[in-house]
Amino acid sequence: MSQSDRTAEELLKGLWKENPTFVQVLGMCPALAVTNSAVNAIVMGLATLFVLVASSGLVSMLRHFIPKQVRISTYIVIIATFVSVADLVLQATLPVVHKELGAFIPLIVVNCLILGRQEAFAAKNTVKLAIADAIGMGLGFTFALTLLGVVREILGSGSLFGMALFGPNYEPWVVMILPPGGFIMLGLILLVFSWVKQRRQARQARQADPAPKVGVA
Amino acid sequence: MSSENLRLQVTAAPFTHSPRTTAAVMRDVSLALLPVLFAAVWYFGIVAILVVGTATLGAVLTDAVLGRQGWAGLKDGSAILTGVLLGLTLPPGIPLWMALLGGVAGIGLGKVVWGGLGHNIFNPALVGRAFLQAAFPITLTTWVAPGSGSLVSLPASTLAVPLLHVDAVSAATPLGLAKFQGTLTAVGPLLTGNVAGSLGETSAIILLAGGAYLMWRRAFDWRIPASIILTTAVLQAVASAIWPGLAPPQMMVFSGGLLLGAIYMATDPVSSPTTPRGAWIFGAGIATLVVLIRNWGGLPEGVMYAILLMNAASPLIERATQPRVFGRDKRRLL
C-alpha cells in the first residue's frame, strides 16, 4: 500500500467505518448535551475538530520526546492548551453560542475521543498520518453531532439553524430538546447505523457465497 | 400385540398444555376494556373511539412494519391491546396525529427495540404515554369536561393539522382540583365517572367490574391490583390523618388513573413480577410512589411514572422473591 493510500484510509475511516460517535460510541457527553440545536452541535463539533487536529499533530511530533511514564498527563496539558485557545476564540467571535455551550467548551479537555486518539494513534504514527486520522475523526464527530442537532432542532423547536420551518403554530416536541430526546435520537441513529451495517455484511456474504443456505431466514 | 408397541416411548417435556394462550388472555383483557370504552363514549362522545382507534392504528402498523414477525405478529392481539390501553390513557381533546405518534412510540420504543413481546422491560402503552407527556406536556394535561359537547361533536383540537398547535379550553381533573385549588371531589361522581380526565380513567365502578371479570377469568394476577389499591388506601389514610390538608383515601383510590393503571397496566404479565410475593411488593411499590407523587410531587397525577419505575424494578423483585428450593437453601428474609 502506497503512502498516500494509507493517509487517505486513515482520513476516511473516521467518517463512517470507525465513526467516533456511532461506531466507537466515544464522546457521548457532548453528543447528548449540546446537540439540542444544529448551530450548537456544529460549533461543538468544529471546536473538537480543531483541538483534535492540533493536539494529534503536536503529540505525534513529540512522540519520541514524551517519557512513557507521564504520557497521559502530557497529552492532557497539550489538549488543555488548545482547548483554551478554542475557548477564547469562540468567546471573541461567537459570544452567543459560547454562552449556550457554557461548561461544555472547557470540558472538551476530558472528551475521551481526543485523549483516545492521542494514546491509540498519534503517539504511534507519523505527523502526517496522525493529522489525517485526527481530521477524519473530527469530521466524523462533527457529522454525528450535526445530524443529532439537526433532527433534534427540527422536531424540538420546529426550526433549522434558527429559522422556523413550519410557521408560528408549530407544536414543538419538547422532549427532543431535553436530555431524554438526546438519548432517544442517539439510540435510533445507532439502530439505523447497525441496520445498514448488517445489511451490507449480509450482501457481502451473499456475494462471497452465492448459494444461500435453505431455511435460513 | 406387535413388538412395536412394547417399545419405550420417549417424548420431550412439556407434558401438560394449558389452553390459555397469549391471544386468549389478550382477548379477555380487551373484552374487559369494552365497557370502559363505552363509558368514554358516553361521557366524551364519539371522539373517544377516534382517539383510541388512531392510537391502536399507530401501534398495530408499527408492530407489523418494524416487528420481527411482521403482520403475523399481530395474531396474539398484544399490539391491539397496547394501542387501546394507550388510547384510554389520553385526554379526550388530544389531536389525532399525537395519538397516532403515541402508538408508534409505544410499540417502537417500548416493544420492538427490546425484541418484541415478552422482551420489553416497560409497559409499551405507558412508554407511548410517557413519550407524549414529555413531548407535548401542555396538550397532555389539557382536559375536556365530560358531557361538554354532543355525542358526535368533536373538540376543536381533535382534527388539528399534524405538527401544528391548536388552543383548547381546559377543565380541571379531580386530582388537579385537590392539588392546586384545594377542592375535593365527592366520591359519587368519581364512581360513575362524571369527571374530567383521561378517556379511560373516569368511572371507578366500570373499571372495578372489568377487574372482577379478569379475576374471574384468571386473566391477570389479582394480587397486583389488590396490593396497589390496599396500599394506597392505607398510606393515604395515615398521611391524611397526619397532614389534614391532603385528599382522603377514598378519593385517592377512585380518582385519576389509579384503577385503570392498577387493573390494566400494572398487571401486564411481561413487565411485572411473576412470583406471588413479588406481585405484592410490586403493587405496594407502585402505590407508595403514587402516594408520594400525588401528595408531594410537582404533578397532580403519578400513576404512569410509578408503574414505569416499578417495571424497571421488577426483575430485581423477581430475583429477590424466588421460592426457596425445599431442603436446599436456608430461609432468608425475603
Side-chain angles (χ1 to χ4, degrees):
Chain A
M1 191 188 289
S2 78
Q3 189 64 39
S4 62
D5 278 357
R6 174 90 202 276
T7 313
E9 196 193 312
E10 301 296 358
L11 186 76
L12 289 176
K13 69 173 193 266
L15 297 181
W16 181 265
K17 208 173 74 188
E18 294 180 23
N19 186 292
T21 304
F22 298 143
V23 178
Q24 303 183 52
V25 200
L26 289 176
M28 283 298 106
C29 181
L32 292 167
V34 302
T35 54
N36 48 10
S37 79
V39 172
N40 287 359
I42 265 193
V43 171
M44 172 52 86
L46 292 179
T48 310
L49 171 73
F50 161 73
V51 174
L52 185 55
V53 172
S55 321
S56 279
L58 195 61
V59 164
S60 176
M61 240 178 266
L62 299 174
R63 67 185 188 280
H64 301 301
F65 176 75
I66 300 171
K68 278 275 170 284
Q69 294 84 344
V70 293
R71 63 185 194 285
I72 301 287
S73 39
T74 315
Y75 303 156
I76 292 285
V77 170
I78 292 173
I79 295 166
T81 309
F82 290 113
V83 170
S84 302
V85 173
D87 190 19
L88 292 172
V89 168
L90 280 180
Q91 202 169 5
T93 54
L94 298 166
V96 179
V97 180
H98 181 269
K99 206 173 166 194
E100 253 181 69
L101 292 178
F104 290 101
I105 295 277
L107 281 174
I108 298 176
V109 178
V110 288
N111 189 332
C112 49
L113 164 68
I114 299 181
L115 188 64
R117 289 334 286 171
Q118 312 312 319
E119 173 77 356
F121 199 90
K124 297 172 189 162
N125 287 287
T126 61
V127 177
K128 196 172 140 198
L129 288 180
I131 287 180
D133 170 78
I135 291 175
M137 289 291 162
L139 286 178
F141 188 68
T142 310
F143 160 68
L145 257 60
T146 310
L147 185 62
L148 271 169
V150 164
V151 178
R152 287 180 66 189
E153 189 183 340
I154 290 177
L155 292 177
S157 319
S159 61
L160 189 55
F161 297 106
M163 287 178 297
L165 292 178
F166 306 102
N169 277 332
Y170 181 71
E171 174 89 52
W173 305 22
V174 181
V175 68
M176 279 304 158
I177 50 173
L178 298 176
F183 281 101
I184 292 174
M185 231 35 250
L186 181 68
L188 290 180
I189 293 178
L190 285 175
L191 196 83
V192 173
F193 232 78
S194 53
W195 181 68
V196 170
K197 215 161 69 181
Q198 271 179 15
R199 273 172 59 107
R200 185 174 295 178
Q201 277 167 358
R203 200 167 52 231
Q204 278 164 359
R206 263 203 311 278
Q207 278 164 356
D209 176 21
K213 292 180 180 70
V214 179
V216 177
Chain B
M1 203 184 261
S2 70
S3 60
E4 273 171 290
N5 291 345
L6 290 174
R7 280 196 189 142
L8 185 62
Q9 292 283 318
V10 181
T11 51
F15 302 105
T16 57
H17 294 274
S18 162
R20 183 163 296 282
T21 60
T22 306
V25 173
M26 298 291 166
R27 214 161 29 239
D28 270 341
V29 179
S30 305
L31 215 58
L33 276 173
L34 274 184
V36 182
L37 190 59
F38 282 133
V41 174
W42 177 261
Y43 285 117
F44 299 111
I46 207 80
V47 67
I49 295 202
L50 285 180
V51 169
V52 171
T54 318
T56 311
L57 185 75
V60 166
L61 285 182
T62 311
D63 208 29
V65 173
L66 298 179
R68 200 177 270 184
Q69 299 178 356
W71 294 94
L74 297 178
K75 269 187 290 186
D76 60 26
S78 62
I80 296 173
L81 184 58
T82 296
V84 172
L85 279 174
L86 168 69
L88 288 174
T89 65
L90 298 175
I94 191 172
L96 291 181
W97 68 270
M98 286 189 194
L100 188 79
L101 180 71
V104 173
I107 292 286
L109 299 176
K111 185 173 157 192
V112 172
V113 295
W114 302 93
L117 184 68
H119 300 280
N120 48 306
I121 298 180
F122 300 103
N123 183 319
L126 287 178
V127 170
R129 174 72 161 75
F131 180 83
L132 288 178
Q133 170 95 54
F136 313 107
I138 295 173
T139 314
L140 266 275
T141 47
T142 300
W143 310 102
V144 177
S148 56
S150 71
L151 195 65
V152 289
S153 72
L154 302 177
S157 48
T158 303
L159 295 176
V161 182
L163 302 179
L164 294 190
H165 174 78
V166 170
D167 285 324
V169 188
S170 184
T173 62
L175 283 170
L177 285 173
K179 186 162 192 117
F180 300 123
Q181 268 113 46
T183 322
L184 299 180
T185 309
V187 174
L190 290 177
L191 288 179
T192 56
N194 195 13
V195 290
S198 295
L199 288 169
E201 68 182 25
T202 47
S203 171
I205 290 178
I206 292 176
L207 289 168
L208 284 172
Y213 170 76
L214 290 177
M215 198 169 144
W216 170 64
R217 297 282 296 169
R218 296 178 188 225
F220 71 0
D221 190 347
W222 58 273
R223 295 174 188 87
I224 294 173
S227 168
I228 294 176
I229 292 166
L230 285 177
T231 315
T232 308
V234 169
L235 285 181
Q236 191 64 19
V238 173
S240 60
I242 301 175
W243 294 278
L246 299 178
Q250 65 271 22
M251 185 184 157
M252 215 45 153
V253 170
F254 293 135
S255 66
L258 191 106
L259 290 175
L260 184 71
I263 292 167
Y264 295 100
M265 311 274 181
T267 50
D268 170 19
V270 177
S271 54
S272 63
T274 51
T275 57
R277 269 180 311 166
W280 286 108
I281 297 171
F282 180 73
I286 291 175
T288 311
L289 287 169
V290 167
V291 169
L292 285 175
I293 297 174
R294 282 184 176 182
N295 287 332
W296 295 288
L299 299 165
E301 175 61 304
V303 172
M304 170 180 77
Y305 297 116
I307 295 176
L308 285 172
L309 281 169
M310 289 311 287
N311 281 166
S314 69
L316 282 176
I317 297 172
E318 190 129 271
R319 219 166 80 173
T321 54
Q322 284 303 313
R324 194 169 66 97
V325 176
F326 185 70
R328 198 188 77 185
D329 304 325
K330 277 192 178 164
R331 229 171 240 290
R332 283 177 306 162
L333 188 63
L334 267 172

Coordinates of all heavy atoms in Angstrom, one line a residue, chain B residues 3-75:
Chain B
S3 N -44.6 -56.0 18.3 CA -43.4 -55.7 19.0 C -43.2 -54.2 19.1 O -42.6 -53.7 20.1 CB -42.1 -56.3 18.4 OG -42.0 -55.8 17.1
E4 N -43.7 -53.5 18.1 CA -43.5 -52.0 18.1 C -44.1 -51.4 19.4 O -43.5 -50.5 20.0 CB -44.2 -51.4 16.9 CG -43.4 -51.4 15.7 CD -44.2 -50.9 14.5 OE1 -45.1 -51.7 14.1 OE2 -44.1 -49.8 14.0
N5 N -45.3 -51.8 19.8 CA -45.9 -51.2 20.9 C -45.2 -51.4 22.3 O -45.5 -50.7 23.2 CB -47.4 -51.6 21.0 CG -48.2 -51.1 19.9 OD1 -47.7 -50.2 19.2 ND2 -49.3 -51.7 19.6
L6 N -44.4 -52.4 22.3 CA -43.7 -52.7 23.6 C -42.5 -51.7 23.8 O -42.0 -51.7 24.8 CB -43.2 -54.1 23.6 CG -44.3 -55.1 23.7 CD1 -43.7 -56.5 23.5 CD2 -45.1 -55.0 25.0
R7 N -42.2 -51.0 22.7 CA -41.0 -50.1 22.8 C -41.3 -49.0 23.8 O -42.4 -48.5 23.9 CB -40.7 -49.5 21.5 CG -39.9 -50.5 20.6 CD -39.2 -49.8 19.5 NE -38.7 -50.8 18.6 CZ -38.7 -50.6 17.3 NH1 -39.3 -49.6 16.8 NH2 -38.1 -51.5 16.5
L8 N -40.3 -48.6 24.5 CA -40.4 -47.5 25.4 C -40.6 -46.2 24.6 O -39.8 -45.8 23.7 CB -39.1 -47.3 26.3 CG -39.2 -46.3 27.4 CD1 -40.2 -46.6 28.4 CD2 -37.8 -46.2 28.0
Q9 N -41.7 -45.5 24.9 CA -42.0 -44.2 24.2 C -41.3 -43.1 24.9 O -41.5 -42.8 26.1 CB -43.5 -44.0 24.2 CG -44.3 -44.9 23.4 CD -44.2 -44.6 21.9 OE1 -44.2 -43.5 21.5 NE2 -44.0 -45.7 21.1
V10 N -40.3 -42.4 24.2 CA -39.6 -41.3 24.8 C -40.1 -40.0 24.2 O -39.9 -39.9 23.0 CB -38.1 -41.5 24.7 CG1 -37.4 -40.3 25.3 CG2 -37.6 -42.8 25.3
T11 N -40.7 -39.2 24.9 CA -41.1 -37.9 24.4 C -40.6 -36.8 25.3 O -40.2 -37.0 26.5 CB -42.6 -37.7 24.3 OG1 -43.2 -38.0 25.6 CG2 -43.2 -38.6 23.3
A12 N -40.5 -35.6 24.7 CA -39.9 -34.5 25.5 C -41.0 -33.7 26.2 O -42.1 -33.7 25.8 CB -39.1 -33.6 24.5
A13 N -40.6 -33.1 27.3 CA -41.4 -32.2 28.0 C -41.8 -31.0 27.2 O -41.0 -30.7 26.3 CB -40.8 -31.8 29.3
P14 N -42.8 -30.2 27.4 CA -43.8 -30.3 28.4 C -44.9 -31.4 28.1 O -45.2 -31.6 27.0 CB -44.4 -28.9 28.5 CG -44.3 -28.4 27.1 CD -43.0 -29.1 26.5
F15 N -45.5 -31.9 29.2 CA -46.5 -33.0 29.0 C -47.9 -32.4 29.2 O -48.9 -33.0 28.8 CB -46.2 -34.1 30.0 CG -44.9 -34.7 29.8 CD1 -43.8 -34.5 30.6 CD2 -44.6 -35.5 28.6 CE1 -42.6 -35.0 30.4 CE2 -43.4 -36.0 28.4 CZ -42.4 -35.8 29.3
T16 N -48.0 -31.3 30.0 CA -49.3 -30.7 30.1 C -49.4 -29.4 29.3 O -48.4 -28.7 29.3 CB -49.7 -30.5 31.6 OG1 -48.6 -29.6 32.1 CG2 -49.7 -31.7 32.4
H17 N -50.6 -29.2 28.8 CA -50.7 -28.0 28.0 C -51.9 -27.2 28.6 O -52.9 -27.8 29.0 CB -51.0 -28.3 26.5 CG -49.8 -29.0 25.9 ND1 -48.8 -28.3 25.3 CD2 -49.5 -30.3 25.8 CE1 -47.9 -29.1 24.8 NE2 -48.3 -30.3 25.1
S18 N -51.7 -25.9 28.6 CA -52.8 -25.0 29.0 C -53.5 -24.4 27.8 O -52.8 -24.0 26.8 CB -52.3 -23.9 29.9 OG -53.3 -22.9 30.0
P19 N -54.8 -24.4 27.7 CA -55.5 -23.8 26.6 C -55.3 -22.3 26.6 O -55.7 -21.6 25.7 CB -56.9 -24.2 26.8 CG -57.1 -24.5 28.2 CD -55.8 -24.9 28.7
R20 N -54.8 -21.8 27.7 CA -54.7 -20.3 27.9 C -53.5 -19.8 27.1 O -52.4 -19.8 27.5 CB -54.5 -20.0 29.4 CG -54.4 -18.5 29.7 CD -54.6 -18.3 31.2 NE -55.9 -18.8 31.6 CZ -57.0 -18.1 31.4 NH1 -56.9 -16.9 30.8 NH2 -58.2 -18.5 31.7
T21 N -53.8 -19.3 25.9 CA -52.8 -18.8 25.0 C -52.7 -17.3 25.3 O -53.6 -16.7 25.9 CB -53.1 -19.0 23.5 OG1 -54.3 -18.4 23.3 CG2 -53.2 -20.5 23.2
T22 N -51.6 -16.7 24.7 CA -51.4 -15.2 24.8 C -52.6 -14.5 24.2 O -53.2 -13.6 24.8 CB -50.2 -14.8 24.1 OG1 -49.1 -15.5 24.6 CG2 -49.9 -13.3 24.3
A23 N -53.0 -15.0 23.0 CA -54.1 -14.4 22.3 C -55.4 -14.4 23.2 O -56.2 -13.5 23.2 CB -54.4 -15.1 21.0
A24 N -55.6 -15.6 23.9 CA -56.9 -15.7 24.7 C -56.9 -14.7 25.8 O -57.9 -14.1 26.1 CB -57.0 -17.1 25.2
V25 N -55.7 -14.5 26.5 CA -55.6 -13.6 27.6 C -55.8 -12.2 27.1 O -56.6 -11.4 27.7 CB -54.2 -13.7 28.3 CG1 -54.1 -12.6 29.3 CG2 -54.1 -15.0 28.9
M26 N -55.2 -11.9 25.9 CA -55.4 -10.5 25.4 C -56.8 -10.3 25.0 O -57.3 -9.2 25.2 CB -54.5 -10.4 24.1 CG -53.0 -10.5 24.4 SD -52.3 -9.1 25.3 CE -50.7 -9.8 25.8
R27 N -57.5 -11.3 24.5 CA -58.9 -11.2 24.2 C -59.7 -10.9 25.4 O -60.6 -10.0 25.4 CB -59.4 -12.5 23.5 CG -60.4 -12.2 22.5 CD -60.6 -13.4 21.5 NE -60.4 -14.7 22.0 CZ -59.5 -15.5 21.5 NH1 -58.7 -15.1 20.4 NH2 -59.3 -16.7 21.9
D28 N -59.4 -11.6 26.5 CA -60.2 -11.3 27.8 C -60.0 -9.9 28.2 O -60.9 -9.2 28.6 CB -59.7 -12.3 28.9 CG -60.5 -13.6 28.9 OD1 -61.6 -13.5 28.3 OD2 -60.0 -14.6 29.4
V29 N -58.7 -9.4 28.2 CA -58.5 -8.1 28.7 C -59.2 -7.1 27.8 O -59.8 -6.1 28.2 CB -56.9 -7.8 28.7 CG1 -56.7 -6.4 29.2 CG2 -56.3 -8.8 29.7
S30 N -59.1 -7.3 26.4 CA -59.8 -6.4 25.5 C -61.3 -6.4 25.8 O -61.9 -5.3 25.8 CB -59.5 -6.8 24.1 OG -58.2 -6.9 23.8
L31 N -61.9 -7.6 26.1 CA -63.3 -7.6 26.4 C -63.6 -6.8 27.6 O -64.6 -6.1 27.6 CB -63.6 -9.1 26.6 CG -65.0 -9.6 26.1 CD1 -65.2 -9.3 24.6 CD2 -65.2 -11.0 26.4
A32 N -62.7 -6.9 28.6 CA -63.0 -6.2 29.9 C -62.8 -4.7 29.6 O -63.3 -3.9 30.4 CB -62.0 -6.7 30.9
L33 N -62.1 -4.3 28.5 CA -61.9 -2.9 28.3 C -63.1 -2.3 27.5 O -63.3 -1.1 27.5 CB -60.7 -2.7 27.5 CG -59.4 -2.6 28.3 CD1 -58.2 -2.5 27.3 CD2 -59.4 -1.4 29.2
L34 N -63.9 -3.1 26.9 CA -65.1 -2.6 26.1 C -66.0 -1.7 26.9 O -66.3 -0.6 26.4 CB -65.8 -3.8 25.5 CG -65.3 -4.3 24.1 CD1 -66.2 -5.3 23.5 CD2 -65.2 -3.1 23.1
P35 N -66.4 -2.1 28.1 CA -67.3 -1.2 28.9 C -66.6 0.1 29.2 O -67.2 1.1 29.2 CB -67.6 -2.0 30.2 CG -67.2 -3.4 29.9 CD -66.2 -3.4 28.8
V36 N -65.3 0.0 29.4 CA -64.5 1.3 29.7 C -64.6 2.2 28.5 O -64.9 3.4 28.6 CB -63.1 1.0 30.0 CG1 -62.3 2.2 30.4 CG2 -63.0 0.0 31.2
L37 N -64.5 1.6 27.3 CA -64.6 2.4 26.1 C -66.0 3.0 25.9 O -66.1 4.1 25.6 CB -64.2 1.5 24.9 CG -64.0 2.2 23.5 CD1 -62.9 3.3 23.6 CD2 -63.7 1.2 22.5
F38 N -67.0 2.2 26.2 CA -68.4 2.7 26.1 C -68.6 3.8 27.1 O -69.2 4.8 26.7 CB -69.4 1.6 26.4 CG -69.6 0.6 25.3 CD1 -69.6 -0.8 25.5 CD2 -69.8 1.1 24.0 CE1 -69.8 -1.6 24.4 CE2 -70.0 0.3 23.0 CZ -70.0 -1.1 23.2
A39 N -68.0 3.7 28.3 CA -68.2 4.8 29.3 C -67.5 6.1 28.7 O -68.0 7.2 28.8 CB -67.5 4.4 30.6
A40 N -66.3 5.9 28.1 CA -65.6 7.0 27.5 C -66.5 7.7 26.4 O -66.6 8.9 26.3 CB -64.3 6.6 26.9
V41 N -67.2 6.9 25.6 CA -68.0 7.5 24.5 C -69.2 8.2 25.2 O -69.6 9.3 24.8 CB -68.5 6.4 23.6 CG1 -69.5 6.9 22.6 CG2 -67.4 5.7 22.8
W42 N -69.8 7.6 26.2 CA -70.9 8.2 26.9 C -70.6 9.6 27.4 O -71.3 10.5 27.3 CB -71.3 7.2 28.1 CG -72.4 7.8 28.9 CD1 -72.3 8.4 30.1 CD2 -73.8 7.8 28.7 NE1 -73.5 8.8 30.6 CE2 -74.5 8.4 29.7 CE3 -74.6 7.2 27.6 CZ2 -75.9 8.5 29.8 CZ3 -76.0 7.4 27.6 CH2 -76.6 8.0 28.7
Y43 N -69.4 9.7 28.0 CA -69.1 11.0 28.7 C -68.4 12.0 27.7 O -68.6 13.2 27.8 CB -68.1 10.8 29.9 CG -68.8 10.2 31.0 CD1 -68.5 9.0 31.5 CD2 -69.9 10.9 31.7 CE1 -69.2 8.4 32.6 CE2 -70.6 10.4 32.7 CZ -70.2 9.2 33.2 OH -70.9 8.7 34.3
F44 N -67.6 11.5 26.7 CA -66.9 12.4 25.9 C -67.3 12.4 24.5 O -66.8 13.2 23.7 CB -65.4 12.1 26.0 CG -64.9 12.3 27.4 CD1 -64.4 11.1 28.1 CD2 -64.8 13.5 28.0 CE1 -64.0 11.3 29.4 CE2 -64.3 13.6 29.3 CZ -63.9 12.5 30.0
G45 N -68.2 11.5 24.1 CA -68.7 11.5 22.7 C -67.8 10.6 21.8 O -66.9 9.9 22.3
I46 N -68.2 10.6 20.5 CA -67.6 9.7 19.6 C -66.1 9.9 19.4 O -65.4 9.0 18.9 CB -68.3 9.9 18.2 CG1 -68.3 8.6 17.4 CG2 -67.7 11.1 17.5 CD1 -69.3 7.6 17.8
V47 N -65.6 11.0 19.9 CA -64.2 11.3 19.8 C -63.3 10.2 20.6 O -62.2 9.9 20.2 CB -63.9 12.7 20.4 CG1 -64.1 12.8 21.9 CG2 -62.5 13.1 20.1
A48 N -63.9 9.6 21.6 CA -63.2 8.6 22.3 C -62.8 7.4 21.4 O -61.7 7.0 21.4 CB -64.1 8.0 23.4
I49 N -63.8 7.0 20.5 CA -63.5 5.9 19.6 C -62.4 6.4 18.6 O -61.5 5.6 18.3 CB -64.8 5.5 18.8 CG1 -65.7 4.9 19.9 CG2 -64.5 4.5 17.7 CD1 -66.8 4.0 19.3
L50 N -62.5 7.6 18.1 CA -61.5 8.1 17.2 C -60.1 8.1 17.8 O -59.1 7.6 17.2 CB -61.8 9.5 16.8 CG -62.9 9.7 15.8 CD1 -63.2 11.2 15.4 CD2 -62.7 8.9 14.5
V51 N -59.9 8.6 19.1 CA -58.6 8.6 19.7 C -58.1 7.2 19.9 O -57.0 6.9 19.6 CB -58.7 9.4 21.0 CG1 -57.4 9.3 21.8 CG2 -59.0 10.9 20.8
V52 N -58.9 6.4 20.5 CA -58.5 5.0 20.8 C -58.2 4.3 19.5 O -57.1 3.6 19.4 CB -59.6 4.2 21.6 CG1 -59.2 2.8 21.7 CG2 -59.7 4.8 23.0
G53 N -59.0 4.5 18.5 CA -58.8 3.8 17.2 C -57.5 4.3 16.5 O -56.7 3.5 16.0
T54 N -57.2 5.6 16.6 CA -56.0 6.1 16.0 C -54.7 5.6 16.7 O -53.7 5.2 16.1 CB -56.0 7.7 16.0 OG1 -57.3 8.1 15.7 CG2 -55.0 8.2 15.0
A55 N -54.8 5.6 18.1 CA -53.7 5.1 18.8 C -53.4 3.6 18.5 O -52.3 3.2 18.3 CB -53.9 5.3 20.3
T56 N -54.5 2.9 18.3 CA -54.4 1.4 18.0 C -53.8 1.3 16.6 O -53.0 0.4 16.4 CB -55.8 0.8 18.1 OG1 -56.4 1.1 19.3 CG2 -55.7 -0.7 18.0
L57 N -54.3 2.1 15.7 CA -53.7 2.0 14.3 C -52.2 2.2 14.3 O -51.5 1.5 13.7 CB -54.4 3.1 13.5 CG -54.1 3.1 12.0 CD1 -54.8 1.9 11.3 CD2 -54.4 4.4 11.3
G58 N -51.8 3.3 15.1 CA -50.3 3.5 15.2 C -49.6 2.3 15.7 O -48.5 1.9 15.2
A59 N -50.1 1.8 16.8 CA -49.5 0.6 17.5 C -49.4 -0.6 16.5 O -48.4 -1.2 16.4 CB -50.2 0.3 18.7
V60 N -50.5 -0.9 15.9 CA -50.6 -2.1 15.0 C -49.7 -2.0 13.8 O -48.9 -2.9 13.5 CB -52.1 -2.3 14.6 CG1 -52.2 -3.3 13.5 CG2 -52.9 -2.8 15.8
L61 N -49.7 -0.8 13.2 CA -48.9 -0.6 12.0 C -47.4 -0.7 12.4 O -46.6 -1.3 11.6 CB -49.2 0.7 11.3 CG -50.5 0.8 10.6 CD1 -50.6 2.2 9.9 CD2 -50.5 -0.2 9.5
T62 N -47.0 -0.1 13.5 CA -45.6 -0.1 13.9 C -45.2 -1.6 14.2 O -44.1 -2.0 13.8 CB -45.4 0.7 15.1 OG1 -46.0 2.0 14.9 CG2 -43.9 0.9 15.4
D63 N -46.1 -2.3 14.9 CA -45.7 -3.7 15.2 C -45.6 -4.5 13.9 O -44.7 -5.4 13.7 CB -46.8 -4.3 16.1 CG -46.2 -5.4 16.9 OD1 -45.0 -5.3 17.2 OD2 -46.9 -6.3 17.3
A64 N -46.5 -4.2 12.9 CA -46.5 -5.0 11.7 C -45.3 -4.7 10.8 O -44.6 -5.5 10.2 CB -47.8 -4.8 10.9
V65 N -44.9 -3.4 10.8 CA -43.8 -3.0 9.9 C -42.5 -3.2 10.5 O -41.6 -3.7 9.8 CB -44.0 -1.5 9.5 CG1 -42.8 -1.0 8.7 CG2 -45.3 -1.3 8.7
L66 N -42.3 -2.9 11.8 CA -41.0 -3.0 12.4 C -40.8 -4.3 13.2 O -39.7 -4.6 13.4 CB -40.7 -1.8 13.3 CG -40.8 -0.4 12.7 CD1 -40.5 0.7 13.7 CD2 -39.7 -0.3 11.6
G67 N -41.9 -4.9 13.6 CA -41.8 -6.1 14.4 C -41.1 -7.2 13.7 O -41.1 -7.3 12.5
R68 N -40.5 -8.1 14.5 CA -39.7 -9.2 13.9 C -40.6 -10.1 13.1 O -40.2 -10.7 12.1 CB -39.0 -9.9 15.1 CG -37.8 -10.7 14.6 CD -37.2 -11.4 15.8 NE -36.1 -10.5 16.3 CZ -35.3 -10.9 17.3 NH1 -35.5 -12.1 17.9 NH2 -34.4 -10.1 17.7
Q69 N -41.8 -10.3 13.6 CA -42.7 -11.3 13.0 C -43.6 -10.6 11.9 O -44.4 -11.3 11.3 CB -43.6 -12.0 14.0 CG -42.8 -12.7 15.0 CD -43.7 -13.4 16.0 OE1 -44.9 -13.2 16.1 NE2 -43.1 -14.1 16.9
G70 N -43.5 -9.3 11.7 CA -44.3 -8.7 10.7 C -45.8 -8.8 11.0 O -46.2 -8.8 12.2
W71 N -46.6 -9.0 10.0 CA -48.0 -9.0 10.1 C -48.5 -10.2 11.0 O -49.5 -10.1 11.7 CB -48.7 -9.0 8.8 CG -48.5 -7.7 8.0 CD1 -47.5 -7.5 7.1 CD2 -49.2 -6.5 8.2 NE1 -47.6 -6.2 6.7 CE2 -48.6 -5.5 7.3 CE3 -50.3 -6.1 9.0 CZ2 -49.1 -4.2 7.2 CZ3 -50.8 -4.8 8.9 CH2 -50.2 -3.9 8.0
A72 N -47.7 -11.3 10.9 CA -48.1 -12.5 11.7 C -48.0 -12.2 13.2 O -48.7 -12.8 14.0 CB -47.2 -13.6 11.3
G73 N -47.2 -11.2 13.6 CA -47.0 -10.9 15.0 C -48.2 -10.3 15.6 O -48.3 -10.1 16.8
L74 N -49.2 -9.9 14.7 CA -50.4 -9.2 15.2 C -51.4 -10.2 15.8 O -52.3 -9.9 16.5 CB -51.0 -8.4 14.1 CG -50.2 -7.3 13.5 CD1 -51.0 -6.6 12.4 CD2 -49.9 -6.3 14.6
K75 N -51.2 -11.5 15.4 CA -52.2 -12.5 15.8 C -52.4 -12.7 17.3 O -53.5 -13.0 17.7 CB -51.8 -13.9 15.1 CG -52.4 -14.0 13.8 CD -52.2 -15.4 13.2 CE -50.7 -15.6 12.9 NZ -50.4 -16.9 12.3

